Amino acid sequence: MTEFHNLATDFFEVQAQYWQAADAGQPTGGLFQQLTLLGRRLLTVLGRPGGATPGPVKASDVAGILLDVHGRELTTHPSGARTYRQVEEFWAAAEEFTSHATPDQLRNFLAGKAQYELQEGRASEALALVDRATHLPDGPALPPPSPYGDLRVLHAEVLHRLHDQETVLEVLAPLEAELAALLPDGPIDETDPEAMRLLSARSGHGDDGPATAARLLQASTVYMRLLDVKAGALRDTGRPEAAERAFVRCMPLYTASGLTEVGLLQRARCALDRDAVAEAHRLLELAAPLFDGADAGDRTSMRAHLRLVRGAAYCRLRAEAARLGNGDGWWKESLRWCDRGERCTADHPDDLLAAGLHAERARAHRATGDQTGAVRAYRQMALALDRVLRVPLGHRFDTLHLRFHQPLFKEVQAFAEETGDAQLCAVVTDLLKARAFSARLSLLRSEAWRTPAASADTTGRDVRNGPDHGAFTEVSRRLASAERRGAWKEADRLRVERAGLLTKIRAIDPRWRLIRDDPPFDLDRLSHFLAAYGTAATGGNPGPCVALSLYERPDSVLAVLATPDGGLHMGTRRLDNRVLSALEAHQRELQEGPALLDFWGHRGIGLADLIPPAFADKIADSGTCLLAPHGRLHTLPWTVARHHGHHVIRRTAIGIVPNLSCVPLLDHRPAGRVRATLLGVTRQPEGKELPEAGRAVRSLAEYLGAHRLREDPITGHHATVATLRDLLNSGPPDRSITDVLHIVTHGLAAPGAPFDAGVQLIDGVLEAGEVLMSRMCFQEVLLTACSTSLRATADHSGGHGALEFLTPLTPRPLELAGDVANALVHAFHEAGAAFVLASPFPMRSRLATHHCAEWIVHRCHGSAPLEAARRAAVALLDEDDSPEQTDKWAGITAYGAR
């Protein structure tokens, strides 16, 4: 008892000393260490078996104090003082105390941790933390002890950083109504004597008067944060005047908190947005004393922290104001502020602010004619913006990120074209095409989660056994049951619920934390891959390998061609009315039918009509072309493309990739013995027979023989969803064998529902969303099914799955941006396949199975996957190369890089 009393006394004394030092802006590191050691010892005493809790002190009291100081301590150090790994270790040390905390204490700790991660520019991790806090007992979905201590404002702040401003405003509306009813005159200004007198009078009746006053002040604090976030959302939705009115309303509250400069910077931003440069200058001058007159001795006060985290924003606004003011020699002043801003980002890294500074630097260099400096700054800007959302958060946030920053990307792209800088153009174009997909692929193809940087919660085992995955499986089971019973309304509801779960699972997947520094486009890596292409693996088509990236515009196509000699070439092809009309007709026919699927043969279009003629010649002379289309170009039948009237595939193998940075990631060595697994669906769920699938599988099995089959062919009543699910979870691959999965069935497209496309089995549908969460042993996949590579271009549900209880009542369709790689073929890539044979539109089953049979024959005789696909296509062309015949199989496309 004496030991406990002494420990408790020392613990609470050190706690008081810690907060006194913190309030005085003095260093607290030593006191923090003392407090942590005392708290750990105190918890040990309290947790001894069989011992009664001595005195009034509970383990949760100690844990709450320790979690509070851990949350505060990290913010007192400049960001560069700790590496990301050290920050992770710091948080892990704090987790030691969470088992003793109450739900409210843990929620506060997680909210503080989320606020820190958001401040550090890691919105993805903040989102995951908010989600974790939301699901604690008595969370925001239930009535909390304090109605204004919930997470809605913090969640809105995360969404604001993720550019989801519409949802921010929708989320805040009910909370604002609650606060306005409680505080009809707005937030309480604690520096206003009259406001405090009214508060005292309002709460002075009864024994709960002090508690009422405390609750109102807490509500006032939340109200102020709400107005601040709302104003930012209004500004970013193009309403600077409304935003400025909101910020002006907050100014007394900023002043009361001693952080007037927060409001001044926000108002200066709004002034610049409406071209009121003189007003912005005035406001920035008012903020200058804090940012220009730094007190070196003050490192821990709130004002010192504001100077640290907003210094770069202040400098960026100064640089922009200098440019928009357009005074004599403005670029000198702008560059001076950019230099100073970069020193701020060195002390406190923030990729979003760094991107803005790099953009202003590039514009200043352009004004002086310094193209080299502008190229360097624009490249740094593009890479910084990429790091802002390097972690994929689902198609909604990826789309909103690109939409918000697209003007900057387009500015860089136009400058690269103007100056002929192909590498800069390639970097930016790659970021605009399937960037989130390539980021995921870079992690899934690496051993990252087996390195020291990986923690227990970033391993695939933990990821796949979480509660959300269990819920996903259960909802899938209920959905299949509803569809079998014909309960279509229930099935529609469950499908929406499952899509939301999948979006959420992908958004907060802890594995994405390991994605840090993979380059979006690495010319050296790509050049090395192309140069070694012919010798790195056997069975390829003789001749050089080139890579072509396309970017579609309304009236032109921007092309970047990489060659094995390290060359990178850029060109633009203007599209004449004949080509534009052909593209529009092709898209219309694909949607409405019937379609002339051989776009090239029926419409008389050649490769040189879409890309620079010199590039078309280069491709026709190469042995292999790795092609990254864009926009509507994804739906063209590239396997039957023509150049000067001849089919390019007769000489050149063609492999489709999402972007150039994916090329090395999709590489594999197809030298091992081919071993096939054949699955043919002979009857659809509604009872329609598909006898050709059974015949195709039996014929292939007979040719391959037992020694080349992984197992007996799967047909009839064995071809179930459960069977295919087991195959998809058969990984990892055997490096000594190349396992091939061949599926013969009907494919289902879902152009308005990402991840809902799938393949039919005898008892239901297995969809892309389930495929991409799998890990299979198959490195090569043949999908003899229609429309399995058709990308969804919109999400009719709005893509709000990651927002959990904050889903808007009326989802708005979301047009996807960023050339999202969300087709079934990409799901198989994520599941482990390096090569997939698929089609973006319907095809005749007889010719499709013939093509796959030819592919398997050539593959078994040593041809690499792309070369086997080329030879199979040539065999069909040799039989009949008329457009009327190629229509029946033109969509069969090889997706891969080898």
Side-chain angles (χ1 to χ4, degrees):
M1 192 71 176
T2 302
E3 178 189 10
F4 169 76
H5 178 77
N6 292 338
L7 281 173
T9 301
D10 292 344
F11 178 78
F12 287 110
E13 284 182 358
V14 174
Q15 179 210 14
Q17 293 170 19
Y18 177 90
W19 288 112
Q20 286 172 2
D23 291 341
Q26 297 170 354
T28 55
L31 291 169
F32 169 75
Q33 296 296 335
Q34 281 183 258
L35 193 61
T36 302
L37 291 173
L38 286 168
R40 188 176 289 119
R41 291 172 60 190
L42 197 51
L43 288 172
T44 300
V45 172
L46 288 168
R48 283 174 181 165
T53 302
V57 179
K58 299 187 292 293
S60 60
D61 298 331
V62 178
I65 291 169
L66 292 173
L67 291 176
D68 281 348
V69 297
H70 271 78
R72 183 216 169 259
E73 187 67 17
L74 199 58
T75 64
T76 64
H77 296 80
S79 297
R82 284 191 175 102
T83 65
Y84 177 76
R85 177 76 187 280
Q86 289 171 329
V87 169
E88 287 289 286
E89 290 172 349
F90 182 88
W91 289 130
E95 291 284 342
E96 171 190 351
F97 310 113
T98 57
S99 61
H100 303 284
T102 66
D104 275 345
Q105 289 171 335
L106 184 54
R107 187 179 302 110
N108 288 337
F109 170 69
L110 292 173
K113 185 177 175 182
Q115 194 76 53
Y116 172 80
E117 296 295 340
L118 186 63
Q119 169 189 297
E120 296 299 300
R122 294 190 284 266
S124 60
E125 295 178 27
L127 186 68
L129 289 163
V130 171
D131 178 79
R132 182 180 163 192
T134 298
H135 288 87
L136 290 171
D138 297 325
L142 300 172
S146 168
Y148 306 107
D150 63 35
L151 298 168
R152 283 177 285 183
V153 172
L154 179 56
H155 211 150
E157 288 174 331
V158 176
L159 296 177
H160 176 54
R161 178 63 72 97
L162 293 170
H163 309 301
D164 196 355
Q165 315 304 350
E166 289 182 351
T167 308
V168 167
L169 296 173
E170 195 161 348
V171 163
L172 292 178
L175 179 58
E176 185 173 12
E178 293 173 33
L179 292 166
L182 187 66
L183 298 167
D185 296 324
I188 299 167
D189 181 357
E190 295 182 52
T191 63
D192 183 352
E194 179 61 18
M196 296 307 292
R197 185 188 66 77
L198 291 173
L199 173 64
S200 178
R202 184 175 178 183
S203 59
H205 303 290
D207 294 336
D208 64 344
T212 300
R215 188 164 62 252
L216 290 173
L217 288 174
Q218 183 186 15
S220 179
T221 301
V222 174
Y223 205 165
M224 176 181 169
R225 286 178 62 197
L226 180 149
L227 292 173
D228 185 79
V229 179
K230 178 183 177 181
L234 289 170
R235 182 190 64 217
D236 289 347
T237 51
R239 289 173 276 182
E241 291 87 356
E244 190 162 6
R245 286 195 297 271
F247 284 130
V248 168
R249 186 180 177 191
C250 288
M251 281 305 296
L253 305 166
Y254 294 131
T255 302
S257 64
L259 301 174
T260 307
E261 291 79 7
V262 172
L264 293 173
L265 294 186
Q266 299 280 34
R267 291 174 59 193
R269 173 71 274 164
C270 293
L272 289 174
D273 287 345
R274 55 186 178 83
D275 295 324
V277 180
E279 176 67 7
H281 270 297
R282 185 185 68 79
L283 293 166
L284 291 171
E285 283 298 321
L286 291 174
L290 172 65
F291 298 103
D292 294 344
D295 178 3
D298 178 10
R299 299 187 59 191
T300 61
S301 71
M302 289 299 293
R303 289 181 61 76
H305 185 66
L306 175 64
R307 183 167 58 243
L308 176 69
V309 300
R310 302 302 293 272
Y314 170 75
C315 294
R316 192 248 165 143
L317 289 171
R318 283 289 204 179
E320 185 177 352
R323 172 173 57 83
L324 295 177
N326 200 30
D328 292 340
W330 66 263
W331 52 87
K332 295 179 183 177
E333 183 181 356
S334 182
L335 288 172
R336 180 171 62 84
W337 284 114
C338 289
D339 289 339
R340 185 166 152 189
E342 288 187 17
R343 291 195 293 273
C344 292
T345 56
D347 292 335
H348 181 83
D350 185 312
D351 290 315
L352 189 59
L353 289 175
L357 288 166
H358 291 313
E360 291 302 331
R361 182 180 295 279
R363 292 160 182 159
H365 283 312
R366 289 179 69 177
T368 64
D370 181 3
Q371 288 191 356
T372 302
V375 167
R376 184 170 57 250
Y378 273 138
R379 187 170 299 157
Q380 290 172 324
M381 183 214 80
L383 297 180
L385 279 183
D386 178 45
R387 288 193 297 271
V388 171
L389 199 59
R390 172 69 53 81
V391 177
L393 291 179
H395 48 265
R396 179 172 184 82
F397 294 134
D398 294 344
T399 289
L400 295 172
H401 166 76
L402 275 177
R403 279 187 188 171
F404 188 80
H405 296 297
Q406 204 161 40
L408 273 179
F409 283 127
K410 293 294 182 68
E411 178 183 328
V412 180
Q413 204 177 44
F415 175 75
E417 259 192 293
E418 175 189 323
T419 58
D421 193 305
Q423 188 167 351
L424 179 60
C425 183
V427 167
V428 177
T429 302
D430 230 45
L431 293 180
L432 291 169
K433 293 167 49 173
R435 175 53 180 142
F437 175 78
S438 62
R440 289 194 301 272
L441 208 58
S442 71
L443 176 59
L444 298 171
R445 291 289 188 273
S446 75
E447 301 296 313
W449 51 63
R450 297 187 180 90
T451 66
S455 57
D457 62 347
T458 59
T459 62
R461 174 180 56 79
D462 290 306
V463 169
R464 297 181 190 188
N465 293 321
D468 291 324
H469 283 257
F472 182 89
T473 302
E474 173 60 19
V475 171
S476 298
R477 184 192 65 75
R478 289 162 52 201
L479 173 60
S481 172
E483 289 176 335
R484 283 194 299 271
R485 292 184 280 108
W488 302 118
K489 285 188 176 180
E490 180 184 357
D492 289 342
R493 179 183 61 77
L494 290 169
R495 194 172 288 108
V496 171
E497 182 180 347
R498 190 173 68 156
L501 271 171
L502 176 61
T503 302
K504 178 189 169 193
I505 287 168
R506 290 167 71 74
I508 65 173
D509 190 328
R511 290 177 298 171
W512 304 149
R513 300 179 198 173
L514 300 177
I515 299 175
R516 287 286 165 237
D517 299 315
D518 58 313
F521 174 76
D522 187 336
L523 177 59
D524 292 338
R525 188 181 184 193
L526 178 63
S527 298
H528 177 76
F529 176 88
L530 297 178
Y533 193 83
T535 58
T538 59
N541 191 29
C545 177
V546 300
L548 178 68
S549 177
L550 304 179
Y551 189 84
E552 184 192 13
R553 290 168 169 164
D555 61 352
S556 65
V557 172
L558 177 63
V560 177
L561 181 69
T563 53
D565 59 0
L568 197 63
H569 313 277
M570 180 181 65
T572 301
R573 185 70 166 97
R574 296 290 171 188
L575 304 181
D576 59 30
N577 290 334
R578 179 178 64 94
V579 175
L580 289 171
S581 298
L583 284 170
E584 290 166 5
H586 182 67
Q587 295 300 308
R588 185 172 59 252
E589 290 174 5
L590 288 178
Q591 294 171 5
E592 301 172 2
L596 301 175
L597 298 179
D598 186 351
F599 169 84
W600 315 89
H602 284 294
R603 305 185 192 281
I605 303 296
L607 200 56
D609 293 316
L610 284 177
I611 65 175
F615 288 11
D617 291 340
K618 195 79 172 177
I619 290 167
D621 291 338
S622 67
T624 303
C625 175
L626 306 178
L627 174 64
H630 175 250
R632 295 179 299 176
L633 306 182
H634 281 292
T635 63
L636 297 185
W638 291 101
T639 301
V640 293
R642 297 179 182 234
H643 184 52
H644 297 319
H646 303 290
H647 286 101
V648 176
I649 200 76
R650 287 191 177 276
R651 175 164 179 168
T652 305
I654 298 174
I656 304 299
V657 294
N659 58 27
L660 295 183
S661 60
C662 281
V663 169
L665 300 173
L666 290 173
D667 189 24
H668 76 306
R669 298 293 180 263
R673 175 172 63 87
V674 172
R675 185 174 67 175
T677 297
L678 308 176
L679 187 152
V681 179
T682 55
R683 190 178 74 251
Q684 292 180 287
E686 64 272 17
K688 181 180 178 182
E689 298 292 331
L690 301 173
E692 64 275 11
R695 289 194 296 268
V697 165
R698 287 191 295 271
S699 175
L700 282 173
E702 185 177 341
Y703 166 76
L704 289 167
H707 69 291
R708 278 184 169 154
L709 290 175
R710 184 174 178 269
E711 56 187 284
D712 292 338
I714 303 166
T715 59
H717 67 277
H718 297 291
T720 64
V721 170
T723 299
L724 182 52
R725 187 178 292 133
D726 287 342
L727 291 174
L728 294 175
N729 288 292
S730 57
D734 183 338
R735 299 300 180 187
S736 65
I737 296 173
T738 300
D739 274 310
V740 177
L741 175 62
H742 184 197
I743 302 174
V744 185
T745 183
H746 271 303
L748 299 176
F755 312 128
D756 280 5
V759 290
Q760 283 191 331
L761 284 303
I762 193 169
D763 60 342
V765 177
L766 195 139
E767 297 172 346
E770 194 162 353
V771 175
L772 58 83
M773 291 196 294
S774 307
R775 188 72 180 99
M776 62 185 188
C777 67
F778 304 101
Q779 293 179 281
E780 299 168 16
V781 176
L782 310 180
L783 297 176
T784 305
C786 299
S787 306
T788 47
S789 63
L790 181 67
R791 297 175 179 226
T793 57
D795 184 347
H796 291 163
S797 73
H800 284 90
L803 306 187
E804 193 66 6
F805 68 98
L806 299 176
T807 303
L809 297 176
T810 308
R812 294 174 290 274
L814 176 73
E815 294 298 322
L816 303 183
D819 216 27
V820 181
N822 58 16
L824 188 61
V825 65
H826 304 112
F828 275 100
H829 277 319
E830 284 199 44
F835 172 88
V836 185
L837 200 64
S839 171
F841 37 75
M843 54 189 177
R844 293 288 180 88
S845 58
R846 183 184 66 82
L847 291 171
T849 53
H850 182 188
H851 185 284
C852 284
E854 287 280 347
W855 184 91
I856 285 179
V857 169
H858 291 297
R859 190 71 186 85
C860 290
H861 282 84
S863 292
L866 290 183
E867 175 59 9
R870 187 192 73 81
R871 294 188 179 200
V874 169
L876 290 177
L877 289 173
D878 285 344
E879 290 184 8
D880 187 346
D881 66 356
S882 67
E884 291 73 22
Q885 183 68 6
T886 54
D887 268 347
K888 301 171 184 177
W889 60 273
I892 300 175
T893 305
Y895 294 86
R898 179 64 66 185

